[in-house]
Amino acid sequence: PVLALGSERGSDVMAVWKLELAALGGFLLLLRFGVRPTAAASGALAYAFGAYHVSWLVVPLAWVVALAPWALWALIGTLRGDRRSGAWLALILGTTAGWSVHAETAAFLWLAVALAGTVLAWGKARRIVRLAIPYLLALLVAAVGSLPVVATIAGSSKLAASRNGPLYPDPGLSWSVKGRAAALLLVPWRDGNPGVGTWHEAFPCAAVSVSVGAVPLVLMFGAPLRRRHRRAALGLADVGFGALSLVYQVPLITPLAG
């Protein structure tokens, strides 16, 4: 789109694509969980137009966010033995990692799908094999487009900054800062709004302050669960716990991640 329409109009087109991808993927995922179409559409729109996704809409990581529900949708089909879903899962994981200029976000998607998939497949060897095959294929898909990505990352300011010292764990993230960041989950703009210049804290505006669009999905899974959905809910809960552990640098998990 950028080559055909120029940077401004091309970016507008891609922004619309990201919103459409996120909404349609979320809708199909919720339908696969057995949610009624109206509720599935509401949840999908809440995800697609969530403040986090919209805030990063013109950044490449938004592609990964938009494709996340597609990856989970394909994961469930893969574990059920659908080979086409397995092919889609390999394609999604491979292209986001090997064809993306924000490969670090794609790595988190790989971890999330692996964690959720392990929970869903636990105790059944054939499901573990079904999960492993798309990952092996995804490595091949990623390798095809990896050279341009490596060349892009090699000249980035982020990589140059990382060479000055370790980026994780952050020694400046004290427990008081963690508590103030956690409070943003309940009151997103309690310490100011960076969009209007009222944010004056010593640390960047926490990502949770712009992720309130995901609240409807959390509320949906907070409802009574059908028995056949309990493992899926546990898998997604484990993904959420893993994300919070990385963000808040939980003592036992952080050394392993670092």
Side-chain angles (χ1 to χ4, degrees):
V2 171
L3 292 175
L5 302 173
S7 59
E8 184 174 350
R9 291 184 178 180
S11 297
D12 290 342
V13 170
M14 288 191 293
V16 173
W17 286 354
K18 293 171 188 176
L19 293 172
E20 291 176 339
L21 274 175
L24 182 57
F27 180 71
L28 294 177
L29 175 63
L30 294 177
L31 286 183
R32 179 154 277 182
F33 281 134
V35 179
R36 293 181 180 181
T38 302
S42 300
L45 290 174
Y47 177 78
F49 288 88
Y52 182 83
H53 192 208
V54 174
S55 297
W56 294 99
L57 199 55
V58 296
V59 183
L61 71 85
W63 286 113
V64 184
V65 177
L67 289 170
W70 287 95
L72 293 172
W73 171 80
L75 169 66
I76 296 173
T78 300
L79 296 179
R80 291 176 178 175
D82 185 359
R83 294 183 178 180
R84 291 177 295 181
S85 295
W88 275 112
L89 181 59
L91 183 63
I92 292 170
L93 294 178
T95 52
T96 54
W99 299 68
S100 170
V101 294
H102 214 272
E104 58 268 41
T105 305
F108 287 117
L109 179 61
W110 281 53
L111 290 172
V113 172
L115 180 57
T118 300
V119 173
L120 288 169
W122 189 260
K124 296 184 179 180
R126 61 181 180 180
R127 288 194 170 187
I128 296 294
V129 173
R130 290 171 183 170
L131 177 63
I133 291 176
Y135 269 80
L136 294 175
L137 294 175
L139 291 174
L140 298 177
V141 175
V144 176
S146 61
L147 291 179
V149 174
V150 170
T152 301
I153 295 175
S156 66
S157 58
K158 183 180 292 186
L159 182 60
S162 67
R163 292 169 177 165
N164 297 329
L167 297 178
Y168 189 86
D170 184 0
L173 189 60
S174 64
W175 283 107
S176 64
V177 173
K178 293 177 185 179
R180 287 157 62 190
L184 298 178
L185 285 168
L186 300 177
V187 187
W189 306 122
R190 66 184 297 271
D191 292 324
N193 184 345
V196 296
T198 57
W199 181 269
H200 301 295
E201 299 297 335
F203 58 92
C205 181
V208 293
S209 67
V210 292
S211 62
V212 291
V215 169
L217 296 179
V218 176
L219 294 177
M220 183 195 73
F221 281 105
L225 291 171
R226 295 180 183 178
R227 184 174 182 180
R228 64 189 180 96
H229 290 158
R230 290 177 182 174
R231 185 170 291 203
L234 178 61
L236 293 177
D238 286 345
V239 172
F241 175 76
L244 288 175
S245 300
L246 292 174
V247 171
Y248 290 101
Q249 300 181 17
V250 176
L252 295 179
I253 299 177
T254 299
L256 297 176

